[in-house]
Amino acid sequence: MTVLEAKNLSYEYSVGTPFQVTAIKNINLTVEKGEMLAIIGHTGSGKSTLIQHFNALFQPTEGQIFLNGKDINESKESAHAARFKVGLCFQYPEYQLFESTVYKDIAFGPSNMGLSDAEIDARVRRAAAFTGIRDDMLEKSPFDLSGGEKRRVAIAGVMAMEPEVLIMDEPAAGLDPRGRKTILELIKNYRETTGSTVIIVSHSMEDVASVADRIVVLNKGTVALSGSVDEVFSHADELVEMGLNIPQITKIFAELKKSGYDLNTSVYTSEQAKNEILRYLQKGGNA
Amino acid sequence: MNDNTLISFRDVSYRYESDTDTPLPLALKNINIDIKKGEFVAILGHNGSGKSTIAKLSNAIIMPESGKVYIKGMDTVDEKLEYDIRQTVGVVFQNPDNQIVATIVEEDVAFGPENLGIEPKEIRKRVDDALKSVGMYDYRFHQPHKLSGGQKQRVAIAGIMAMQTECIVLDEPTAMLDPKGREEVMTAMQRLNKELGITVVLITHYMDEAVKADRVIVMDSGEVVLDGTPREVFSQPDIIEHAGLELPESAKLANELRKNGVELPEGILTPEEFIEAFKFCVSGGNEK
């Protein structure tokens, strides 16, 4: 079932001035309920412009956005409702923390939704649990936390709105390897537990390969490729041309395959790679 | 410390100021690091391990709580030397948008040397040279905010180069960039180091960038836990893991395979090395 759809979507900045620029052109894409979709593309490819249309922060210059079959820009009310149904977590969201306690920061979103105090409290605690924020941290100032913890508080704030679709722009950027893994695990876990639809925007091909069901590739404001992880990463040369790449491990396998080794190249993590090589060696693989 | 030493940390400790009465823990604990002229050093460590603190101490943005930081022998606490220190070590930060000051690329690059009071003719030459060395000369009349992230970072690097600093410290310069932008910045840094002999200190979360350095320093909770060539450092998987880091992908794979009885040599770090070792292993040692 389609939850979100962009139809012939175009957006131009600074219309009617000499600085008019087309950021996205005629984009058509659908997001299925419950899927984990990754959007990748070079800097300036239109990713951020696109995702800000999904919760009506931007109004299209042309085309429409449908949420559960309804045009979100049909009325003021529908645009307002989209803000809560589609939760958007920006890049480096920890810079947007502002409350005096972690609890209040997470509660800020749900407090604006006309919910009862008991419901707000329940949501704050659920979101804190998803993001691994312990009870004793809730009364602390968010500014006393580490970088990785702040990031998780900011993400919890969006999760607490319990949006149907959660969109995250570069959720792991700037984190160390352990912090990256933690964030990706908690997103996966959130999706599996709640059945919510999740869209992540990322520059890391490794992260995308490890979490996504499907990938949409933007290039210069249009959809250049779209498909399963296997399909998209089988276009290595085109991806490189677009300023992207394939995971390092996948590159090794593509290279070995070219040299005549009969290996499966749909390999993205070192764990998958190890299993594939062991399989190959066991059947007495030779060049 | 000898004449070749450009940056020297002697028993340096540092603590950030707390908003409350309870002092924060030490961000750096008694660290000793010497960086020689011409070296390409990568500094790795988890968030909060003290990496950025090292960058800020290196050009007198902050001063040690105890111990000394010397830049070519100049003590960074000496205010009279601040100018000379910043002309020796330049810092490039993570977010390129926070470092661009002018509306035209070449004016942005000229900003540093102009503030040093350098002759206009000399500035012209330095700006052109700097833009050429980072591969951005063709963009000299462009507006910086319309460039890609990788291009903006290269303009920021050119701005430091135009001040002719002997050393550039980069604090996670590629964190916000796409794969191509990362590649561009890495290539520019390697060229500056190899061709112009500029000392480069690269603070990064990317293990595959650290592999390209001459030397890798690993920080954990404010202390130096490893310091050596990439091959030495990445042959200590337990310490790397404990520091919240991981091995480069190719090294991780080779390690896992060795644990499963596949005969691969130690010290594999790059995809090229892995491919070569794998071919050799499969051919039973007959193929090079």
Side-chain angles (χ1 to χ4, degrees):
Chain A
M1 205 180 83
T2 301
V3 54
L4 203 57
E5 185 180 4
K7 223 178 197 169
N8 307 323
L9 186 71
S10 296
Y11 186 79
E12 288 174 4
Y13 283 98
S14 321
V15 177
T17 76
F19 304 105
Q20 187 164 338
V21 191
T22 307
I24 47 178
K25 267 195 303 272
N26 201 27
I27 289 195
N28 286 290
L29 73 91
T30 56
V31 184
E32 298 302 310
K33 198 168 175 52
E35 77 169 329
M36 172 96 78
L37 174 73
I39 301 179
I40 62 177
H42 59 88
T43 9
S45 61
K47 305 184 296 286
S48 299
T49 306
L50 174 63
I51 60 173
Q52 291 181 79
H53 278 88
F54 289 150
N55 72 345
L57 281 178
F58 279 21
Q59 267 70 52
T61 309
E62 258 173 74
Q64 287 156 301
I65 300 285
F66 295 96
L67 179 62
N68 294 317
K70 284 212 169 116
D71 186 338
I72 60 170
N73 295 304
E74 198 178 66
S75 66
K76 250 190 182 160
E77 292 71 33
S78 63
H80 185 71
R83 299 274 152 80
F84 299 111
K85 288 182 186 153
V86 179
L88 184 52
C89 191
F90 285 100
Q91 257 184 63
Y92 294 82
E94 58 275 24
Y95 294 139
Q96 297 169 44
L97 298 173
F98 68 100
E99 284 282 9
S100 55
T101 68
V102 167
Y103 185 97
K104 284 187 197 163
D105 228 306
I106 301 176
F108 180 76
S111 316
N112 287 322
M113 298 171 73
L115 303 167
S116 70
D117 286 354
E119 176 61 17
I120 294 171
D121 184 68
R123 286 183 174 211
V124 170
R125 291 183 193 278
R126 269 200 295 272
F130 271 125
T131 48
I133 295 162
R134 300 181 313 270
D135 278 353
D136 66 294
M137 282 159 69
L138 290 174
E139 291 313 313
K140 280 194 184 173
S141 160
F143 303 103
D144 288 341
L145 306 177
S146 74
E149 288 167 345
K150 279 187 208 157
R151 177 79 54 96
R152 283 187 276 135
V153 170
I155 293 173
V158 182
M159 284 182 176
M161 301 201 301
E162 305 196 346
E164 279 183 65
V165 182
L166 174 67
I167 306 178
M168 315 194 70
D169 195 355
E170 293 276 6
L175 298 181
D176 58 47
R178 191 181 289 162
R180 272 194 113 79
K181 236 184 257 167
T182 310
I183 294 280
L184 295 174
E185 282 305 314
L186 79 85
I187 296 171
K188 260 198 252 179
N189 179 33
Y190 166 86
R191 209 257 315 221
E192 279 159 19
T193 320
T194 62
S196 307
T197 311
V198 178
I199 302 177
I200 82 164
V201 173
S202 177
H203 278 151
S204 162
M205 303 303 122
E206 275 79 10
D207 291 356
V208 164
S210 77
V211 299
D213 302 321
R214 203 158 63 88
I215 302 178
V216 167
V217 185
L218 291 191
N219 185 41
K220 297 180 184 157
T222 62
V223 175
L225 287 170
S226 155
S228 68
V229 173
D230 288 351
E231 282 161 7
V232 168
F233 285 137
S234 69
H235 294 270
D237 295 340
E238 285 150 271
L239 289 170
V240 169
E241 203 134 295
M242 293 179 226
L244 301 171
N245 220 321
I246 55 173
Q248 207 187 87
I249 287 285
T250 317
K251 237 189 267 176
I252 294 180
F253 279 69
E255 201 53 47
L256 287 171
K257 176 108 187 181
K258 241 189 248 166
S259 307
Y261 297 89
D262 185 19
L263 287 159
N264 179 359
T265 53
S266 302
V267 160
Y268 310 108
T269 63
S270 53
E271 179 66 22
Q272 291 170 343
K274 178 195 80 182
N275 293 334
E276 174 58 12
I277 287 189
L278 292 176
R279 181 199 64 82
Y280 176 83
L281 293 174
Q282 252 149 31
K283 64 162 216 213
N286 245 313
Chain B
M1 185 166 56
N2 62 33
D3 289 341
N4 249 341
T5 309
L6 199 74
I7 298 178
S8 178
F9 279 60
R10 286 275 150 266
D11 302 316
V12 172
S13 293
Y14 185 81
R15 188 193 310 269
Y16 287 95
E17 228 164 274
S18 169
D19 299 332
T20 63
D21 294 337
T22 14
L24 293 173
L26 283 172
L28 288 181
K29 297 175 200 159
N30 209 29
I31 68 161
N32 285 288
I33 296 174
D34 278 330
I35 291 170
K36 287 198 288 291
K37 225 177 145 65
E39 269 191 308
F40 191 129
V41 182
I43 303 184
L44 297 174
H46 58 82
N47 292 102
S49 62
K51 305 184 304 292
S52 300
T53 310
I54 293 181
K56 289 183 233 163
L57 284 162
S58 301
N59 80 341
I61 296 174
I62 54 176
M63 311 296 158
E65 175 176 300
S66 63
K68 289 281 183 197
V69 176
Y70 297 103
I71 304 301
K72 275 176 90 184
M74 295 180 280
D75 187 340
T76 58
V77 298
D78 189 342
E79 276 174 36
K80 292 195 298 294
L81 296 172
E82 192 182 283
Y83 190 83
D84 297 316
I85 287 167
R86 295 207 176 138
Q87 248 188 293
T88 311
V89 178
V91 183
V92 174
F93 292 100
Q94 189 181 92
N95 189 343
D97 291 320
N98 295 345
Q99 301 172 70
I100 305 278
V101 292
T103 53
I104 300 289
V105 164
E106 63 169 19
E107 287 175 10
D108 190 78
V109 177
F111 180 78
E114 274 170 3
N115 283 322
L116 296 174
I118 295 174
E119 289 280 299
K121 226 166 136 195
E122 169 68 11
I123 292 180
R124 176 79 259 161
K125 186 179 174 308
R126 287 194 187 186
V127 168
D128 289 349
D129 289 350
L131 282 170
K132 278 177 195 158
S133 8
V134 297
M136 287 298 292
Y137 185 68
D138 291 343
Y139 292 85
R140 63 192 181 283
F141 302 131
H142 284 232
Q143 292 174 284
H145 69 275
K146 290 200 175 148
L147 301 176
S148 74
Q151 292 171 332
K152 281 184 208 166
Q153 265 317 33
R154 283 186 286 153
V155 171
I157 293 168
I160 298 290
M161 289 189 60
M163 291 167 62
Q164 295 191 340
T165 58
E166 288 170 65
C167 174
I168 301 185
V169 177
L170 301 103
D171 192 0
E172 294 189 48
T174 62
M176 305 180 96
L177 306 184
D178 59 31
K180 186 175 171 214
R182 283 182 55 196
E183 185 81 45
E184 288 170 355
V185 170
M186 274 311 286
T187 309
M189 292 324 305
Q190 284 176 298
R191 278 194 47 208
L192 300 189
N193 177 254
K194 299 286 170 278
E195 291 170 20
L196 303 176
I198 292 173
T199 310
V200 174
V201 179
L202 174 69
I203 296 171
T204 181
H205 280 315
Y206 291 106
M207 305 303 134
D208 53 331
E209 291 179 0
V211 163
K212 293 176 179 149
D214 303 326
R215 178 177 158 202
V216 179
I217 295 173
V218 178
M219 302 292 300
D220 188 1
S221 312
E223 290 172 273
V224 175
V225 290
L226 287 171
D227 183 349
T229 63
R231 228 172 283 284
E232 285 162 359
V233 164
F234 289 120
S235 66
Q236 305 280 347
D238 297 342
I239 302 177
I240 294 281
E241 168 93 359
H242 186 265
L245 305 176
E246 55 188 8
L247 296 177
E249 292 279 289
S250 305
K252 212 193 297 174
L253 175 57
N255 243 12
E256 285 300 314
L257 288 169
R258 267 198 303 273
K259 275 189 208 155
N260 281 277
V262 181
E263 287 182 29
L264 290 170
E266 301 271 344
I268 291 170
L269 292 180
T270 64
E272 294 73 34
E273 289 169 3
F274 181 88
I275 289 168
E276 193 183 325
F278 177 82
K279 288 181 178 172
F280 188 77
C281 164
V282 173
S283 68
N286 296 322
E287 197 182 314
K288 198 149 182 315

